[in-house]
Amino acid sequence: KMDYLTLTNDQRTKVHSEPGLLLDLQRLLMIGPEEAEVIRQKAMPGLPSPMPPATGWSMEKEKARSRKQWELERSGKRAGDWECPECGAECFGSKDECFKCGCPKPIDIVEE
């Protein structure tokens, strides 16, 4: 079985470009999506379904990510830290409830 985390960057790029390759394969061989899926399953047996296309890199996304990281470092917070909605205390991301009042970590923060 293929483990995505152990793939090299080149292998990940190949896997994420897969949806476009499947469409090219269908056009080239003049086959339907079912036949292309059979070929895909034989070529990549560890992946039960095609990978979604990778989202494109953009300078705007990179700047926003860098800015957010810079703000976190400057504030002394770590990624995942959260503010208690009840008492306003700053809580570590690893904690499931507020150390001050015991309020549980908000669901929208847990899912991130």
Side-chain angles (χ1 to χ4, degrees), residues 7-22:
L7 297 178
T8 65
N9 285 339
D10 288 339
Q11 290 170 323
R12 288 179 183 181
T13 300
K14 182 179 177 183
V15 169
H16 282 287
S17 64
E18 179 185 336
L21 292 174
L22 286 176

Side-chain angles (χ1 to χ4, degrees), residues 22-54:
L22 286 176
L23 290 174
D24 291 344
L25 182 66
Q26 286 176 297
R27 283 188 224 113
L28 181 65
L29 299 177
M30 294 186 275
I31 58 176
E34 296 83 17
E35 292 91 351
E37 176 60 16
V38 169
I39 293 171
R40 186 203 64 76
Q41 287 177 356
K42 288 181 181 177
M44 299 179 134
L47 294 174
S49 62
M51 293 293 289

Side-chain angles (χ1 to χ4, degrees), residues 52-90:
T55 57
W57 177 89
S58 70
M59 184 57 83
E60 292 79 24
K61 287 180 185 178
E62 182 63 23
K63 283 181 181 178
R65 187 199 62 76
S66 296
R67 176 74 181 181
K68 185 176 180 181
Q69 185 63 35
W70 178 82
E71 289 173 352
L72 279 172
E73 289 172 3
R74 189 163 184 220
S75 70
K77 292 182 182 179
R78 295 184 197 170
D81 287 355
W82 53 283
E83 183 177 321
C84 177
E86 293 294 321
C87 69
E90 292 295 326

Side-chain angles (χ1 to χ4, degrees), residues 82 84 86-91 95 97-103:
W82 53 283
C84 177
E86 293 294 321
C87 69
E90 292 295 326
C91 303
K95 303 299 178 189
E97 61 182 36
C98 176
F99 70 93
K100 201 171 188 180
C101 69
C103 176

